[in-house]
Amino acid sequence: MLEFNNSTPLTMGVELELQIVNRRDYNLTRGSSDLLVIIDKTDHGYDIKPEITESMIEIATSVHTDHKEMLAELTAMRTLLVSAADKLNLGLAGGGAHPFQHWEDQRIYPTDRYRLVSELYGYLAKQFTVYGQHIHIGCATGDEAIRLAHMLARYIPHFITLSASSPFYQGVDTTFQSSRLTSINAFPLSGYMPFVTDWDAFNAYFDKMSSLGIVASMKDFYWDIRPKPEYGTVEIRVCDTPLSIEVAVALAGYAQTLSKFFFAQQELKPAQDTYLTYSYNRFQACRFGFNGAIINPINGTQTSIKEDILQTFDMLADIAQELGTTEAIELLRQRIQAGQSDADWLRACYEKSGSLSDVVRQQSAVWMAR
């Protein structure tokens, strides 16, 4: 039986996967081991660790209730990382996928877990050199976590669109705003969580999958949203890593605000019909971003993702005021009204320079605050 370690509702944390690039042509480089050696010479206390290939590094915040405190922590972590990267003449960057790296050049980081993933999934493990933001929201019980995961499923296109930063992949413009999720779609346990309605039902599902030899732990599920029982959270996993830490924090603030709304509106119940249009809406967000369509299967209405996000922001205005997230949501609103996502910004950089190396140079400068 999986035990759900109950946590304080609406606490939050984020994980950010970052690109490690050289400063010659700004291709990915196998720098995580050397970077960690330099970082660990400082008694920092931060959660900084390797990821599945050696051109990735992951940072994770501590538990927060206030998005401004989260931003302060991420700013301090960035200072530490940038200092270490400078000593090695490396660059760090956000973005959901490196624009021109080739998956066959990547090397699996030497841990037992990552070796197992590589043995199981073959070349998909190296293709998994994509970069995401994960957002954790604390829940009081496992039952509440299951409910929240289903309620947030309706808003997954929002998080994809607001974070989209992977228009280029393997040297070409994919025509997608977020190409990153295409790599994750190839894994057999990706997509959305089955429609179970409480923690006991989820445990029964997990036990069945475990007894069939399909999964050994929650890490084997690559769902867009999943409960994280050891943390006592619900984890949103669809976001590309934004180009800046400010947007990453704003996204966490939005998730926290949506969750407060659902915790307060207990009369709202998950609807299995949400998943009738889930994959369609998800694709629209990945492909078209703000210009994509979103269909509500409950009432049959269809609107643009942009308008749906703005209407949701309006709905949450009072809750954001109570929670202190108005500033975070306003940052996201301004980006929508300006009509430019991170993906659009990256394309504009390429149009000016004609060089994907220069695009990465500029996105690295954004994340490193230069």
Side-chain angles (χ1 to χ4, degrees):
M1 296 292 287
L2 292 170
E3 180 180 355
F4 190 86
N5 293 322
N6 306 336
S7 63
T8 304
L10 298 178
T11 51
M12 60 179 173
V14 302
E15 300 161 331
L16 296 174
E17 296 162 345
L18 302 173
Q19 302 180 32
I20 305 174
V21 298
N22 68 57
R23 289 183 178 172
R24 299 182 305 278
D25 64 357
Y26 285 87
N27 199 353
L28 291 180
T29 191
R30 300 165 184 168
S32 57
S33 296
D34 291 340
L35 195 57
L36 287 166
V37 168
I38 299 294
I39 289 170
D40 289 342
K41 289 181 179 179
T42 301
D43 186 16
H44 54 78
Y46 296 126
D47 187 355
I48 304 173
K49 52 185 176 287
E51 249 296 337
I52 189 166
T53 61
E54 292 186 354
S55 56
M56 309 174 73
I57 195 163
E58 180 182 281
I59 62 176
T61 69
S62 54
V63 178
H64 290 277
T65 57
D66 187 308
H67 74 280
K68 293 180 181 178
E69 293 176 357
M70 177 186 287
L71 179 58
E73 182 185 20
L74 280 173
T75 301
M77 294 174 78
R78 178 176 64 188
T79 298
L80 176 65
L81 284 159
V82 168
S83 176
D86 282 342
K87 292 174 182 175
L88 295 167
N89 198 30
L90 297 174
L92 299 168
H98 186 276
F100 62 89
Q101 65 90 18
H102 291 283
W103 64 265
E104 67 271 18
D105 296 332
Q106 304 313 313
R107 180 181 294 169
I108 300 297
Y109 193 90
T111 67
D112 290 343
R113 167 69 185 172
Y114 295 145
R115 287 193 186 100
L116 177 62
V117 171
S118 180
E119 291 170 4
L120 180 61
Y121 293 112
Y123 83 105
L124 293 179
K126 289 186 177 182
Q127 282 205 331
F128 206 33
T129 306
V130 289
Y131 302 82
Q133 171 180 356
H134 299 170
I135 304 170
H136 291 265
I137 300 295
C139 296
T141 67
D143 288 350
E144 192 59 52
I146 295 298
R147 174 179 176 269
L148 180 62
H150 288 311
M151 299 306 293
L152 289 173
R154 151 76 172 82
Y155 298 91
I156 282 301
H158 292 195
F159 289 95
I160 294 171
T161 297
L162 289 166
S163 66
S165 58
S166 51
F168 301 106
Y169 187 65
Q170 303 278 295
V172 298
D173 188 331
T174 65
T175 72
F176 277 57
Q177 295 293 89
S178 173
S179 66
R180 167 183 160 269
L181 286 175
T182 303
S183 296
I184 299 170
N185 291 346
F187 286 80
L189 298 174
S190 61
Y192 55 83
M193 183 176 74
F195 192 74
V196 295
T197 55
D198 57 34
W199 191 245
D200 284 344
F202 184 85
N203 253 309
Y205 169 81
F206 180 86
D207 286 348
K208 185 63 176 290
M209 295 291 281
S210 178
S211 68
L212 292 170
I214 297 173
V215 300
S217 75
M218 284 296 299
K219 290 183 178 180
D220 295 321
F221 294 118
Y222 291 86
W223 298 328
D224 294 344
I225 316 177
R226 68 183 183 189
K228 192 75 169 177
E230 61 267 42
Y231 294 166
T233 65
V234 164
E235 181 185 17
I236 300 170
R237 298 165 49 83
V238 293
C239 297
D240 285 359
T241 296
L243 299 184
S244 72
I245 58 174
E246 289 79 11
V247 173
V249 169
L251 288 167
Y254 179 38
Q256 186 189 35
T257 309
L258 265 176
S259 299
K260 182 174 174 61
F261 172 78
F262 289 124
F263 286 156
Q265 303 291 327
Q266 287 294 319
E267 71 278 6
L268 298 176
K269 304 299 181 185
Q272 189 167 6
D273 280 359
T274 297
Y275 297 105
L276 293 175
T277 58
Y278 183 93
S279 296
Y280 175 85
N281 292 343
R282 182 182 186 272
F283 171 82
Q284 287 282 311
C286 291
R287 175 67 175 88
F288 301 109
F290 294 128
N291 295 321
I294 189 167
I295 298 175
N296 185 329
I298 309 303
N299 58 25
T301 59
Q302 179 171 326
T303 188
S304 72
I305 294 174
K306 174 182 176 180
E307 288 305 314
D308 197 62
I309 295 173
L310 292 174
Q311 290 169 12
T312 304
F313 285 173
D314 291 341
M315 178 187 75
L316 296 175
D318 290 343
I319 290 176
Q321 186 69 34
E322 294 172 15
L323 195 56
T325 54
T326 300
E327 184 178 328
I329 289 178
E330 188 58 28
L331 185 152
L332 297 176
R333 185 192 296 273
Q334 289 172 2
R335 287 168 58 83
I336 295 171
Q337 291 173 338
Q340 188 177 69
S341 66
D342 281 350
D344 295 323
W345 185 87
L346 291 167
R347 284 195 174 99
C349 289
Y350 181 69
E351 288 177 8
K352 289 179 182 178
S353 69
S355 166
L356 288 177
S357 292
D358 191 65
V359 170
V360 182
R361 180 189 64 79
Q362 292 191 61
Q363 73 187 80
S364 177
V366 169
W367 197 89
M368 298 175 81
R370 290 176 168 166

